[in-house]
């Protein structure tokens, strides 16, 4: 890697090292500006905070420091975080958008992504959805031979699509059948998969399809999202590339071969956190319980399947300052540990750390009407008091996009923040509150909007 290519990574590492200090400063700024308290009936003291500097640094590293060809079209998975204000960060940074439904496609177009920088993937596109995408020149991957037949009929009915500049960008999704990772629900490259055409079972049909339809000019490969060794991903890519022997035109450099990538969680998860005020505390069965306003409605995977998607929980005081021991909550602490356990603090008799922070085994409970609605269970955390703030890390992806309507709770606002520690901006006082700039990326949902949802005519 050249010195120039190393600059994005250097900035990214600096921001990651100050992650918890940065998000705590953002929380303090939001409290100071009154964004987390409104004197209206339907206001809930919960928000999602997104580190815009960290997102931009991650994008810069992906595009300019990770070794991809310069003309690679990197796309953000809209399903990870469909918030318009978040997607515009990627649009302005020159990235594309990967969509998996008509709603996501419409959102990408609404935000302003050019059609040729959107990739449409879905195993259940209707004929109308296919026509909508192809008519606008959206690169589209077909999932099966029946869908290919639909697309072929549409192309035959619209020869003008082939005559426009750039023609069509249409591909087939291939399942390389190389095996699954440690999370079955996120592994798409096993022998049995709902996605794509099984390579080992229909290789000849695949070759025949590309020969019969010259407008087929893309290949889509996805082995899985998480819990996969790199070697399995490489093996999957290698199997698909073997098709070049049978369909060399797909890999002809004179036709402008281009690599496209799709990333979601890796671009967004660590840039976001959910913050929610502690409303009440109590004791039950000898254990302290703190009740806040965020739960399984926002953090569905983590609450329902904590063994697979564990949460990292932190506690801040009423001003937004971290309550963790300095050895745990200082620079870089945002990337340590797991669950709700505070490690690194020197705990002594009486539950006090060497920093004088009182630690206690606690549950952090959400607001929903079922017992499993917990952000942390029997976790060693700084003692929560009414008015403190619970902070759930790694929540920048698959949070609002998977939110539940259970108990008819309003979804929170999303704020982006920039400046602050390790960003090049000056920091002064109260966790750098004055150095942080906040901007609204999405407004909060009102009670009337919840009622509108349940009473659509």
């Amino acid at each position: 890697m050249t010195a120039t290519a190393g600059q994005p990574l250097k900035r990214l590492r600096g921001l990651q090292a100050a992650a918890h200090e940065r998000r705590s400063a953002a929380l303090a700024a939001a409290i100071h500006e009154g964004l987390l308290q409104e004197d209206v009936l339907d206001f809930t003291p919960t928000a999602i905070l997104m580190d815009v500097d960290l997102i931009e640094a991650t994008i810069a590293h992906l595009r300019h420091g990770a070794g991809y060809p310069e003309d690679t079209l990197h796309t953000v998975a809209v399903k990870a975080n469909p918030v318009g204000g978040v997607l515009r960060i990627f649009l302005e940074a020159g990235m594309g958008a990967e969509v998996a439904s008509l709603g996501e496609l419409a959102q990408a177009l609404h935000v302003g992504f050019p059609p040729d920088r959107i990739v449409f993937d879905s195993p259940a596109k209707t004929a109308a959805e296919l026509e909508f995408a192809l008519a606008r020149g959206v690169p589209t991957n077909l999932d099966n031979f029946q869908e290919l037949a639909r697309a072929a009929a549409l192309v035959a009915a619209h020869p003008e699509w082939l005559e426009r500049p750039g023609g069509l960008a249409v591909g087939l999704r291939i399942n390389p059948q190389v095996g699954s990772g440690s999370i079955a629900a996120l592994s798409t490259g096993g022998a049995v998969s709902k996605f794509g055409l099984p390579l080992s079972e229909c290789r000849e049909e695949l070759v025949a399809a590309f020969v019969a339809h010259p407008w087929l000019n893309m290949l889509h490969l996805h082995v899985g999202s998480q819990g996969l060794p790199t070697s399995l991903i490489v093996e999957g890519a290698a199997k698909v590339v073997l098709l070049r022997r049978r369909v060399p035109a797909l890999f002809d450099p004179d036709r402008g071969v281009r690599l496209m990538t799709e990333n979601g969680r890796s671009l967004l998860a660590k840039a976001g956190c959910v913050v929610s005020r502690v409303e009440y505390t109590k004791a039950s069965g000898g254990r302290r319980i703190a009740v806040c306003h965020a739960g399984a409605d926002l953090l569905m995977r983590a609450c329902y399947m904590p063994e697979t998607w564990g949460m990292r929980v932190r506690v801040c005081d009423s001003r937004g300052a971290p309550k963790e021991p300095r050895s745990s909550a200082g620079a870089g602490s945002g990337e340590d540990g797991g669950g709700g356990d505070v490690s690194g603090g020197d705990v002594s008799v009486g539950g006090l750390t060497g920093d004088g922070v009182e630690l206690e085994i606690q549950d952090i409970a959400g607001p929903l009407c079922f017992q499993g609605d917990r952000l942390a269970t029997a976790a060693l955390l700084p003692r929560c008091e009414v008015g403190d703030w619970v902070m759930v890390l790694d929540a920048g992806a698959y949070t609002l996009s998977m939110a539940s309507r259970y108990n008819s709770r309003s979804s929170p606002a999303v704020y982006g923040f920039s400046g602050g520690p390790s960003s090049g901006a000056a920091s002064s006082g109260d966790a750098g509150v004055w150095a942080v700039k906040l901007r609204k990326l999405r407004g909060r949902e009102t009670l009337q909007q919840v009622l509108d949802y349940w009473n659509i005519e």
Side-chain angles (χ1 to χ4, degrees):
M1 181 179 294
T2 66
T4 301
Q7 292 305 311
L9 181 60
K10 181 179 179 181
R11 173 163 170 73
L12 177 61
R13 292 289 185 244
L15 292 167
Q16 289 173 333
H20 195 50
E21 188 179 1
R22 290 176 56 75
R23 52 187 166 241
S24 298
L27 172 58
I31 294 170
H32 177 78
E33 294 181 23
L35 301 178
L36 298 178
Q37 182 60 56
E38 291 183 29
D39 189 20
V40 292
L41 171 64
D42 62 350
F43 182 81
T44 301
T46 299
I48 298 175
L49 304 178
M50 300 293 301
D51 188 336
V52 176
D53 289 345
L54 182 56
I55 294 172
E56 292 176 342
T58 304
I59 294 171
H61 173 60
L62 175 66
R63 295 190 65 207
H64 306 298
Y68 288 97
E70 280 299 314
D71 66 344
T72 298
L73 175 62
H74 295 289
T75 69
V76 59
V78 172
K79 57 182 166 285
N81 194 324
V83 171
V86 173
L87 294 179
R88 288 186 186 93
I89 298 171
F90 291 91
L91 173 65
E92 292 167 3
M95 287 190 59
E98 187 275 342
V99 300
S101 71
L102 179 61
E104 290 182 357
L105 173 54
Q107 173 68 341
L109 291 169
H110 174 76
V111 166
F113 285 95
D116 62 356
R117 280 168 53 190
I118 301 173
V119 181
F120 189 18
D121 300 311
S122 166
K125 307 179 201 72
T126 66
E129 290 170 353
L130 272 175
E131 184 172 5
F132 180 86
L134 296 178
R136 286 158 179 76
V138 174
T140 301
N141 288 305
L142 310 176
D143 188 78
N144 54 72
F145 289 126
Q146 293 170 349
E147 187 178 19
L148 173 59
R150 282 184 175 179
L154 286 169
V155 173
H158 296 278
E160 69 275 11
W161 292 351
L162 298 174
E163 297 170 0
R164 65 192 175 197
L168 281 175
V170 184
L172 294 179
R173 178 166 184 166
I174 310 299
N175 172 14
Q177 297 181 290
V178 292
S180 301
S182 60
I183 305 177
L186 298 184
S187 296
T188 59
V192 179
S193 176
K194 64 176 275 189
F195 295 106
L197 293 159
L199 181 59
S200 64
E201 299 169 41
C202 60
R203 185 183 300 269
E204 294 306 315
E205 292 91 335
L206 282 167
V207 173
F210 281 106
V211 172
H213 306 292
W215 43 265
L216 279 177
N217 51 17
M218 299 196 304
L219 281 171
H220 178 284
L221 167 72
H222 188 238
V223 178
S225 300
Q226 285 181 276
L228 292 169
T230 304
S231 58
L232 199 64
I233 299 173
V234 171
E235 183 183 352
K239 282 200 170 187
V240 171
V241 170
L242 288 176
L243 286 172
R244 72 188 308 169
R245 299 175 184 173
R246 303 291 302 278
V247 194
L250 274 174
F251 301 88
D252 184 355
D254 292 336
R255 294 183 57 178
V257 177
R258 189 183 195 188
L259 180 65
M260 300 179 182
T261 72
E262 171 201 345
N263 290 279
R265 183 178 299 275
S266 63
L267 294 172
L268 284 160
K270 291 186 181 298
C273 65
V274 171
V275 294
S276 188
R277 193 182 67 203
V278 175
E279 197 69 29
Y280 300 108
T281 62
K282 60 183 177 182
S284 180
R287 185 184 302 166
R288 187 174 181 82
I289 300 173
V291 181
C292 67
H293 297 272
D297 52 338
L298 272 181
L299 300 147
M300 183 180 295
R301 279 178 170 173
C303 286
Y304 281 101
M305 300 181 68
E307 68 284 354
T308 302
W309 285 283
M311 284 174 287
R312 296 185 296 155
V313 177
R314 300 291 183 262
V315 181
C316 296
D317 65 20
S318 61
R319 298 175 300 112
K323 295 183 76 170
E324 288 89 350
R326 284 191 299 272
S327 54
S328 173
S333 70
E335 311 311 317
D336 70 348
D341 185 27
V342 176
S343 57
D346 181 17
V347 181
S348 59
V349 177
L352 294 178
T353 69
D355 297 321
V357 176
E358 184 178 5
L359 299 179
E360 190 169 345
I361 299 294
Q362 301 167 86
D363 287 0
I364 308 296
L368 303 186
C369 192
F370 77 106
Q371 178 64 12
D373 184 34
R374 290 191 294 265
L375 303 179
T377 302
L380 183 63
L381 289 165
R383 182 181 176 90
C384 289
E385 304 289 353
V386 172
D388 284 349
W389 291 87
V390 172
M391 179 181 286
V392 182
L393 314 189
D394 309 324
Y398 301 99
T399 299
L400 270 183
S401 61
M402 299 189 75
S404 165
R405 285 289 181 178
Y406 185 55
N407 280 170
S408 297
R409 296 184 61 83
S410 301
S411 58
V414 181
Y415 294 99
F417 65 91
S418 57
S422 195
S423 68
S427 176
S428 62
D430 286 344
V433 60
W434 303 110
V436 174
K437 295 181 179 179
L438 292 161
R439 72 174 193 257
K440 184 185 294 184
L441 301 177
R442 174 192 184 266
R444 67 177 181 88
E445 188 177 33
T446 65
L447 180 60
Q448 184 59 53
Q449 289 167 329
V450 173
L451 292 176
D452 290 343
Y453 175 86
W454 290 123
N455 295 283
I456 297 172
E457 296 182 358

PDB file of all heavy atoms in Angstrom, residues 403-434:
ATOM      1  N   ALA A 403     -37.121  -2.387  12.516  1.00  0.00           N
ATOM      2  CA  ALA A 403     -37.923  -1.998  13.679  1.00  0.00           C
ATOM      3  C   ALA A 403     -39.311  -2.631  13.638  1.00  0.00           C
ATOM      4  O   ALA A 403     -39.908  -2.815  12.579  1.00  0.00           O
ATOM      5  CB  ALA A 403     -38.051  -0.483  13.744  1.00  0.00           C
ATOM      6  N   SER A 404     -39.805  -2.958  14.818  1.00  0.00           N
ATOM      7  CA  SER A 404     -41.106  -3.600  14.971  1.00  0.00           C
ATOM      8  C   SER A 404     -42.175  -2.572  15.339  1.00  0.00           C
ATOM      9  O   SER A 404     -41.885  -1.546  15.963  1.00  0.00           O
ATOM     10  CB  SER A 404     -41.019  -4.661  16.073  1.00  0.00           C
ATOM     11  OG  SER A 404     -42.304  -5.070  16.508  1.00  0.00           O
ATOM     12  N   ARG A 405     -43.388  -2.853  14.972  1.00  0.00           N
ATOM     13  CA  ARG A 405     -44.539  -2.015  15.342  1.00  0.00           C
ATOM     14  C   ARG A 405     -45.171  -2.480  16.654  1.00  0.00           C
ATOM     15  O   ARG A 405     -46.195  -1.937  17.064  1.00  0.00           O
ATOM     16  CB  ARG A 405     -45.584  -2.042  14.230  1.00  0.00           C
ATOM     17  CG  ARG A 405     -45.201  -1.216  13.023  1.00  0.00           C
ATOM     18  CD  ARG A 405     -45.280   0.261  13.340  1.00  0.00           C
ATOM     19  NE  ARG A 405     -44.942   1.093  12.199  1.00  0.00           N
ATOM     20  CZ  ARG A 405     -44.965   2.408  12.200  1.00  0.00           C
ATOM     21  NH1 ARG A 405     -45.305   3.054  13.298  1.00  0.00           N
ATOM     22  NH2 ARG A 405     -44.636   3.101  11.139  1.00  0.00           N
ATOM     23  N   TYR A 406     -44.577  -3.450  17.300  1.00  0.00           N
ATOM     24  CA  TYR A 406     -45.140  -4.000  18.528  1.00  0.00           C
ATOM     25  C   TYR A 406     -45.325  -2.900  19.578  1.00  0.00           C
ATOM     26  O   TYR A 406     -44.435  -2.086  19.802  1.00  0.00           O
ATOM     27  CB  TYR A 406     -44.238  -5.100  19.064  1.00  0.00           C
ATOM     28  CG  TYR A 406     -44.775  -5.822  20.274  1.00  0.00           C
ATOM     29  CD1 TYR A 406     -46.026  -6.410  20.263  1.00  0.00           C
ATOM     30  CD2 TYR A 406     -44.024  -5.905  21.443  1.00  0.00           C
ATOM     31  CE1 TYR A 406     -46.525  -7.072  21.367  1.00  0.00           C
ATOM     32  CE2 TYR A 406     -44.501  -6.566  22.562  1.00  0.00           C
ATOM     33  CZ  TYR A 406     -45.763  -7.149  22.517  1.00  0.00           C
ATOM     34  OH  TYR A 406     -46.253  -7.793  23.617  1.00  0.00           O
ATOM     35  N   ASN A 407     -46.483  -2.881  20.222  1.00  0.00           N
ATOM     36  CA  ASN A 407     -46.874  -1.890  21.219  1.00  0.00           C
ATOM     37  C   ASN A 407     -47.070  -0.492  20.638  1.00  0.00           C
ATOM     38  O   ASN A 407     -47.242   0.476  21.391  1.00  0.00           O
ATOM     39  CB  ASN A 407     -45.881  -1.822  22.383  1.00  0.00           C
ATOM     40  CG  ASN A 407     -46.086  -2.928  23.400  1.00  0.00           C
ATOM     41  OD1 ASN A 407     -45.266  -3.124  24.297  1.00  0.00           O
ATOM     42  ND2 ASN A 407     -47.169  -3.680  23.291  1.00  0.00           N
ATOM     43  N   SER A 408     -47.029  -0.370  19.324  1.00  0.00           N
ATOM     44  CA  SER A 408     -47.341   0.904  18.648  1.00  0.00           C
ATOM     45  C   SER A 408     -46.512   2.069  19.182  1.00  0.00           C
ATOM     46  O   SER A 408     -47.025   3.167  19.437  1.00  0.00           O
ATOM     47  CB  SER A 408     -48.840   1.220  18.774  1.00  0.00           C
ATOM     48  OG  SER A 408     -49.615   0.241  18.126  1.00  0.00           O
ATOM     49  N   ARG A 409     -45.231   1.838  19.332  1.00  0.00           N
ATOM     50  CA  ARG A 409     -44.348   2.893  19.811  1.00  0.00           C
ATOM     51  C   ARG A 409     -43.791   3.699  18.635  1.00  0.00           C
ATOM     52  O   ARG A 409     -43.539   3.164  17.560  1.00  0.00           O
ATOM     53  CB  ARG A 409     -43.205   2.298  20.641  1.00  0.00           C
ATOM     54  CG  ARG A 409     -43.699   1.611  21.906  1.00  0.00           C
ATOM     55  CD  ARG A 409     -42.541   1.124  22.761  1.00  0.00           C
ATOM     56  NE  ARG A 409     -41.690   2.221  23.198  1.00  0.00           N
ATOM     57  CZ  ARG A 409     -41.924   2.992  24.251  1.00  0.00           C
ATOM     58  NH1 ARG A 409     -43.006   2.786  24.990  1.00  0.00           N
ATOM     59  NH2 ARG A 409     -41.106   3.958  24.585  1.00  0.00           N
ATOM     60  N   SER A 410     -43.576   4.983  18.858  1.00  0.00           N
ATOM     61  CA  SER A 410     -43.022   5.856  17.823  1.00  0.00           C
ATOM     62  C   SER A 410     -41.533   5.579  17.644  1.00  0.00           C
ATOM     63  O   SER A 410     -40.811   5.364  18.613  1.00  0.00           O
ATOM     64  CB  SER A 410     -43.234   7.327  18.206  1.00  0.00           C
ATOM     65  OG  SER A 410     -44.601   7.619  18.380  1.00  0.00           O
ATOM     66  N   SER A 411     -41.073   5.606  16.406  1.00  0.00           N
ATOM     67  CA  SER A 411     -39.645   5.423  16.147  1.00  0.00           C
ATOM     68  C   SER A 411     -38.900   6.743  16.365  1.00  0.00           C
ATOM     69  O   SER A 411     -39.455   7.824  16.197  1.00  0.00           O
ATOM     70  CB  SER A 411     -39.418   4.907  14.736  1.00  0.00           C
ATOM     71  OG  SER A 411     -39.961   5.783  13.775  1.00  0.00           O
ATOM     72  N   PRO A 412     -37.623   6.661  16.747  1.00  0.00           N
ATOM     73  CA  PRO A 412     -36.890   7.864  17.158  1.00  0.00           C
ATOM     74  C   PRO A 412     -36.298   8.653  15.999  1.00  0.00           C
ATOM     75  O   PRO A 412     -36.204   8.168  14.872  1.00  0.00           O
ATOM     76  CB  PRO A 412     -35.776   7.287  18.032  1.00  0.00           C
ATOM     77  CG  PRO A 412     -35.488   5.959  17.408  1.00  0.00           C
ATOM     78  CD  PRO A 412     -36.832   5.440  16.958  1.00  0.00           C
ATOM     79  N   ALA A 413     -35.876   9.850  16.316  1.00  0.00           N
ATOM     80  CA  ALA A 413     -35.130  10.673  15.364  1.00  0.00           C
ATOM     81  C   ALA A 413     -33.716  10.126  15.207  1.00  0.00           C
ATOM     82  O   ALA A 413     -33.208   9.401  16.061  1.00  0.00           O
ATOM     83  CB  ALA A 413     -35.082  12.121  15.845  1.00  0.00           C
ATOM     84  N   VAL A 414     -33.111  10.493  14.085  1.00  0.00           N
ATOM     85  CA  VAL A 414     -31.721  10.116  13.812  1.00  0.00           C
ATOM     86  C   VAL A 414     -30.926  11.395  13.600  1.00  0.00           C
ATOM     87  O   VAL A 414     -31.311  12.248  12.784  1.00  0.00           O
ATOM     88  CB  VAL A 414     -31.613   9.220  12.564  1.00  0.00           C
ATOM     89  CG1 VAL A 414     -30.161   8.815  12.318  1.00  0.00           C
ATOM     90  CG2 VAL A 414     -32.498   7.981  12.706  1.00  0.00           C
ATOM     91  N   TYR A 415     -29.828  11.530  14.334  1.00  0.00           N
ATOM     92  CA  TYR A 415     -28.961  12.709  14.212  1.00  0.00           C
ATOM     93  C   TYR A 415     -27.564  12.273  13.774  1.00  0.00           C
ATOM     94  O   TYR A 415     -27.018  11.283  14.284  1.00  0.00           O
ATOM     95  CB  TYR A 415     -28.863  13.457  15.543  1.00  0.00           C
ATOM     96  CG  TYR A 415     -30.164  14.077  15.981  1.00  0.00           C
ATOM     97  CD1 TYR A 415     -30.978  13.451  16.916  1.00  0.00           C
ATOM     98  CD2 TYR A 415     -30.593  15.297  15.442  1.00  0.00           C
ATOM     99  CE1 TYR A 415     -32.185  14.007  17.313  1.00  0.00           C
ATOM    100  CE2 TYR A 415     -31.795  15.869  15.834  1.00  0.00           C
ATOM    101  CZ  TYR A 415     -32.589  15.219  16.763  1.00  0.00           C
ATOM    102  OH  TYR A 415     -33.790  15.770  17.144  1.00  0.00           O
ATOM    103  N   GLY A 416     -26.994  13.013  12.863  1.00  0.00           N
ATOM    104  CA  GLY A 416     -25.606  12.807  12.488  1.00  0.00           C
ATOM    105  C   GLY A 416     -24.729  13.775  13.255  1.00  0.00           C
ATOM    106  O   GLY A 416     -25.142  14.894  13.551  1.00  0.00           O
ATOM    107  N   PHE A 417     -23.516  13.332  13.587  1.00  0.00           N
ATOM    108  CA  PHE A 417     -22.598  14.245  14.265  1.00  0.00           C
ATOM    109  C   PHE A 417     -21.231  14.197  13.607  1.00  0.00           C
ATOM    110  O   PHE A 417     -20.813  13.184  13.044  1.00  0.00           O
ATOM    111  CB  PHE A 417     -22.497  13.933  15.767  1.00  0.00           C
ATOM    112  CG  PHE A 417     -21.889  12.601  16.126  1.00  0.00           C
ATOM    113  CD1 PHE A 417     -20.523  12.456  16.348  1.00  0.00           C
ATOM    114  CD2 PHE A 417     -22.693  11.477  16.278  1.00  0.00           C
ATOM    115  CE1 PHE A 417     -19.967  11.244  16.708  1.00  0.00           C
ATOM    116  CE2 PHE A 417     -22.153  10.253  16.635  1.00  0.00           C
ATOM    117  CZ  PHE A 417     -20.785  10.132  16.850  1.00  0.00           C
ATOM    118  N   SER A 418     -20.553  15.319  13.657  1.00  0.00           N
ATOM    119  CA  SER A 418     -19.194  15.445  13.118  1.00  0.00           C
ATOM    120  C   SER A 418     -18.409  16.374  14.020  1.00  0.00           C
ATOM    121  O   SER A 418     -18.966  17.060  14.871  1.00  0.00           O
ATOM    122  CB  SER A 418     -19.226  15.979  11.683  1.00  0.00           C
ATOM    123  OG  SER A 418     -19.905  17.222  11.629  1.00  0.00           O
ATOM    124  N   GLY A 419     -17.094  16.388  13.807  1.00  0.00           N
ATOM    125  CA  GLY A 419     -16.232  17.143  14.712  1.00  0.00           C
ATOM    126  C   GLY A 419     -15.976  16.355  15.980  1.00  0.00           C
ATOM    127  O   GLY A 419     -16.376  15.203  16.124  1.00  0.00           O
ATOM    128  N   GLY A 420     -15.303  16.984  16.944  1.00  0.00           N
ATOM    129  CA  GLY A 420     -15.044  16.295  18.199  1.00  0.00           C
ATOM    130  C   GLY A 420     -13.711  15.574  18.205  1.00  0.00           C
ATOM    131  O   GLY A 420     -12.864  15.774  17.333  1.00  0.00           O
ATOM    132  N   PRO A 421     -13.485  14.709  19.178  1.00  0.00           N
ATOM    133  CA  PRO A 421     -12.196  14.044  19.363  1.00  0.00           C
ATOM    134  C   PRO A 421     -11.717  13.316  18.115  1.00  0.00           C
ATOM    135  O   PRO A 421     -12.494  12.632  17.449  1.00  0.00           O
ATOM    136  CB  PRO A 421     -12.472  13.052  20.501  1.00  0.00           C
ATOM    137  CG  PRO A 421     -13.626  13.635  21.239  1.00  0.00           C
ATOM    138  CD  PRO A 421     -14.457  14.314  20.206  1.00  0.00           C
ATOM    139  N   SER A 422     -10.437  13.491  17.793  1.00  0.00           N
ATOM    140  CA  SER A 422      -9.746  12.788  16.712  1.00  0.00           C
ATOM    141  C   SER A 422     -10.288  13.112  15.334  1.00  0.00           C
ATOM    142  O   SER A 422     -10.066  12.390  14.393  1.00  0.00           O
ATOM    143  CB  SER A 422      -9.801  11.268  16.925  1.00  0.00           C
ATOM    144  OG  SER A 422      -8.869  10.604  16.104  1.00  0.00           O
ATOM    145  N   SER A 423     -11.022  14.210  15.219  1.00  0.00           N
ATOM    146  CA  SER A 423     -11.560  14.572  13.913  1.00  0.00           C
ATOM    147  C   SER A 423     -10.864  15.792  13.326  1.00  0.00           C
ATOM    148  O   SER A 423     -11.171  16.218  12.236  1.00  0.00           O
ATOM    149  CB  SER A 423     -13.054  14.882  14.026  1.00  0.00           C
ATOM    150  OG  SER A 423     -13.233  16.065  14.779  1.00  0.00           O
ATOM    151  N   GLY A 424      -9.934  16.361  14.100  1.00  0.00           N
ATOM    152  CA  GLY A 424      -9.258  17.565  13.641  1.00  0.00           C
ATOM    153  C   GLY A 424      -9.891  18.829  14.179  1.00  0.00           C
ATOM    154  O   GLY A 424      -9.361  19.918  14.018  1.00  0.00           O
ATOM    155  N   ALA A 425     -11.064  18.697  14.829  1.00  0.00           N
ATOM    156  CA  ALA A 425     -11.725  19.872  15.409  1.00  0.00           C
ATOM    157  C   ALA A 425     -11.289  20.048  16.847  1.00  0.00           C
ATOM    158  O   ALA A 425     -10.949  19.091  17.533  1.00  0.00           O
ATOM    159  CB  ALA A 425     -13.248  19.709  15.333  1.00  0.00           C
ATOM    160  N   ALA A 426     -11.291  21.275  17.305  1.00  0.00           N
ATOM    161  CA  ALA A 426     -10.897  21.545  18.682  1.00  0.00           C
ATOM    162  C   ALA A 426     -11.951  21.010  19.633  1.00  0.00           C
ATOM    163  O   ALA A 426     -13.139  21.072  19.366  1.00  0.00           O
ATOM    164  CB  ALA A 426     -10.733  23.046  18.884  1.00  0.00           C
ATOM    165  N   SER A 427     -11.513  20.495  20.767  1.00  0.00           N
ATOM    166  CA  SER A 427     -12.433  19.959  21.766  1.00  0.00           C
ATOM    167  C   SER A 427     -12.286  20.771  23.041  1.00  0.00           C
ATOM    168  O   SER A 427     -11.183  21.081  23.467  1.00  0.00           O
ATOM    169  CB  SER A 427     -12.121  18.484  22.034  1.00  0.00           C
ATOM    170  OG  SER A 427     -12.936  17.985  23.053  1.00  0.00           O
ATOM    171  N   SER A 428     -13.421  21.133  23.648  1.00  0.00           N
ATOM    172  CA  SER A 428     -13.326  21.920  24.863  1.00  0.00           C
ATOM    173  C   SER A 428     -14.470  21.613  25.792  1.00  0.00           C
ATOM    174  O   SER A 428     -15.635  21.733  25.421  1.00  0.00           O
ATOM    175  CB  SER A 428     -13.344  23.419  24.518  1.00  0.00           C
ATOM    176  OG  SER A 428     -14.556  23.767  23.890  1.00  0.00           O
ATOM    177  N   GLY A 429     -14.133  21.161  26.988  1.00  0.00           N
ATOM    178  CA  GLY A 429     -15.105  21.019  28.060  1.00  0.00           C
ATOM    179  C   GLY A 429     -16.197  20.002  27.829  1.00  0.00           C
ATOM    180  O   GLY A 429     -16.634  19.782  26.708  1.00  0.00           O
ATOM    181  N   ASP A 430     -16.681  19.394  28.898  1.00  0.00           N
ATOM    182  CA  ASP A 430     -17.831  18.496  28.876  1.00  0.00           C
ATOM    183  C   ASP A 430     -17.822  17.553  27.669  1.00  0.00           C
ATOM    184  O   ASP A 430     -18.709  17.561  26.821  1.00  0.00           O
ATOM    185  CB  ASP A 430     -19.137  19.297  28.856  1.00  0.00           C
ATOM    186  CG  ASP A 430     -19.439  19.910  30.210  1.00  0.00           C
ATOM    187  OD1 ASP A 430     -18.821  19.478  31.205  1.00  0.00           O
ATOM    188  OD2 ASP A 430     -20.281  20.814  30.261  1.00  0.00           O
ATOM    189  N   ALA A 431     -16.813  16.707  27.591  1.00  0.00           N
ATOM    190  CA  ALA A 431     -16.698  15.690  26.542  1.00  0.00           C
ATOM    191  C   ALA A 431     -16.718  16.287  25.138  1.00  0.00           C
ATOM    192  O   ALA A 431     -17.151  15.676  24.179  1.00  0.00           O
ATOM    193  CB  ALA A 431     -17.812  14.650  26.678  1.00  0.00           C
ATOM    194  N   GLY A 432     -16.211  17.517  25.018  1.00  0.00           N
ATOM    195  CA  GLY A 432     -16.127  18.122  23.694  1.00  0.00           C
ATOM    196  C   GLY A 432     -17.461  18.577  23.147  1.00  0.00           C
ATOM    197  O   GLY A 432     -17.651  18.675  21.951  1.00  0.00           O
ATOM    198  N   VAL A 433     -18.413  18.881  24.044  1.00  0.00           N
ATOM    199  CA  VAL A 433     -19.753  19.224  23.590  1.00  0.00           C
ATOM    200  C   VAL A 433     -19.747  20.396  22.612  1.00  0.00           C
ATOM    201  O   VAL A 433     -20.510  20.424  21.658  1.00  0.00           O
ATOM    202  CB  VAL A 433     -20.674  19.509  24.795  1.00  0.00           C
ATOM    203  CG1 VAL A 433     -20.158  20.662  25.625  1.00  0.00           C
ATOM    204  CG2 VAL A 433     -22.090  19.792  24.336  1.00  0.00           C
ATOM    205  N   TRP A 434     -18.867  21.362  22.833  1.00  0.00           N
ATOM    206  CA  TRP A 434     -18.872  22.541  21.973  1.00  0.00           C
ATOM    207  C   TRP A 434     -18.221  22.262  20.618  1.00  0.00           C
ATOM    208  O   TRP A 434     -18.419  23.022  19.676  1.00  0.00           O
ATOM    209  CB  TRP A 434     -18.112  23.672  22.669  1.00  0.00           C
ATOM    210  CG  TRP A 434     -18.692  24.002  24.012  1.00  0.00           C
ATOM    211  CD1 TRP A 434     -18.129  23.765  25.235  1.00  0.00           C
ATOM    212  CD2 TRP A 434     -19.978  24.566  24.274  1.00  0.00           C
ATOM    213  NE1 TRP A 434     -18.973  24.165  26.242  1.00  0.00           N
ATOM    214  CE2 TRP A 434     -20.122  24.667  25.676  1.00  0.00           C
ATOM    215  CE3 TRP A 434     -21.028  25.007  23.473  1.00  0.00           C
ATOM    216  CZ2 TRP A 434     -21.260  25.182  26.288  1.00  0.00           C
ATOM    217  CZ3 TRP A 434     -22.162  25.524  24.074  1.00  0.00           C
ATOM    218  CH2 TRP A 434     -22.258  25.601  25.464  1.00  0.00           C
TER     219      TRP A 434
END
